[in-house]
Amino acid sequence: MVKLTLIARVTDGLPLAEGLDDGRDVENADFYKQQVKALFKNLSMRQNDASMMSIETGPYVFHYIIEGHVCYLTMCDRSYPKKLAFQYLEDLKNEFERANGSQIETAARPYAFIKFDTFIQKTKKLYQDSRTQRNISKLNDELYEVHQIMTRNVQEVLGVGEKLDQVSQMSSRLTSESRIYADKAKDLNRQALIRKWAPVAIVLGVVILFFWLRTKIW
């Protein structure tokens, strides 16, 4: 069954639309939505060049297609036919481009096309049961093949982005540590100067005090 549906702009990962009723029967739905956001972030950084892909995550599979700088993604049970999942996404893509194509690039706020949820829900109902005559006919459609679509694991896909994040964190840590070391170096130099000139200052102070006392006494 189709569990989640999200649409985002690839260039910056901005979410454009989402199935509002999605995820109600999914345990840890927020966890999977976070994975989707991380995937959109990776796509915006061009970490995955494939225009169509299936990504396994726990008991589910993310399927996505990219066209016109937009990513159409759905999460389904592993047992749900891959062919139907991609045909579902094709239907969403065709309608989304028809209804909102001219506004996609100029959208400035998240979920600018949230009203597209109506079409998502209507279309999802048609694809929920893979045993209906309509969906069986789609499965038998030899003109639509998905055998060549790559399937990967979510850790493998998101791992690339995680490594980049680790490099960024390491760079920030090194910068912070270098500042600390610089401050310590300044303190050491200051202490060295004090140790070098403190005896001279003490001697001068004693001499000055001696002459001052001498003038007072005599």
Side-chain angles (χ1 to χ4, degrees), residues 11-28:
T11 51
D12 55 5
L14 182 75
L16 301 175
E18 179 179 346
L20 297 180
D21 292 334
D22 290 357
R24 291 185 177 180
D25 60 341
V26 176
E27 188 175 355
N28 297 324

Side-chain angles (χ1 to χ4, degrees), residues 7-188:
I7 301 172
R9 192 165 58 198
V10 175
T11 51
D12 55 5
L14 182 75
L16 301 175
E18 179 179 346
L20 297 180
D21 292 334
D22 290 357
R24 291 185 177 180
D25 60 341
V26 176
E27 188 175 355
N28 297 324
D30 288 340
F31 169 75
Y32 293 109
K33 288 183 178 182
Q34 287 300 318
Q35 286 190 333
V36 173
K37 290 179 181 179
L39 176 58
F40 287 156
K41 178 182 176 183
N42 277 14
L43 290 172
S44 69
M45 297 167 64
R46 300 191 181 280
Q47 294 301 318
N48 295 299
D49 294 328
S51 60
M52 304 177 77
M53 186 180 287
S54 296
I55 303 171
E56 297 174 340
T57 175
Y60 305 108
V61 182
F62 294 132
H63 303 285
Y64 76 74
I65 60 176
I66 297 175
E67 191 163 323
H69 303 299
V70 177
C71 179
Y72 305 85
L73 180 145
T74 186
M75 186 181 80
C76 306
D77 293 313
R78 285 200 182 212
S79 59
Y80 190 79
K82 187 175 184 178
K83 197 170 188 176
L84 282 183
F86 280 98
Q87 288 182 318
Y88 167 65
L89 292 175
E90 285 284 349
D91 286 355
L92 296 184
K93 174 185 71 68
N94 292 336
E95 178 61 19
F96 193 79
E97 287 181 346
R98 186 198 66 77
N100 307 301
S102 62
Q103 306 171 59
I104 293 171
E105 291 298 324
T106 57
R109 58 184 175 83
Y111 303 105
F113 309 106
I114 198 64
K115 291 182 180 179
F116 191 70
D117 167 68
T118 302
F119 184 82
I120 291 176
Q121 299 303 328
K122 182 176 68 175
T123 308
K124 187 171 71 172
K125 287 179 181 178
L126 297 176
Y127 281 90
Q128 285 295 63
D129 189 352
S130 61
R131 298 165 298 179
T132 63
Q133 186 59 47
R134 173 187 178 278
N135 289 334
I136 290 174
S137 297
K138 284 184 172 291
L139 286 171
N140 293 330
D141 183 2
E142 296 181 358
L143 296 177
Y144 195 90
E145 293 298 335
V146 294
H147 301 300
Q148 301 300 318
I149 297 176
M150 186 185 303
T151 298
R152 297 175 66 184
N153 184 272
V154 70
Q155 282 80 16
E156 180 186 0
V157 174
L158 297 184
V160 177
E162 288 171 358
K163 289 177 182 176
L164 290 175
D165 289 341
Q166 289 172 3
V167 170
S168 177
Q169 291 172 7
M170 185 178 296
S171 175
S172 299
R173 186 166 62 250
L174 289 173
T175 301
S176 177
E177 289 176 353
S178 66
R179 289 173 181 169
I180 293 172
Y181 292 145
D183 291 339
K184 286 184 177 179
K186 289 179 181 178
D187 289 338
L188 289 173

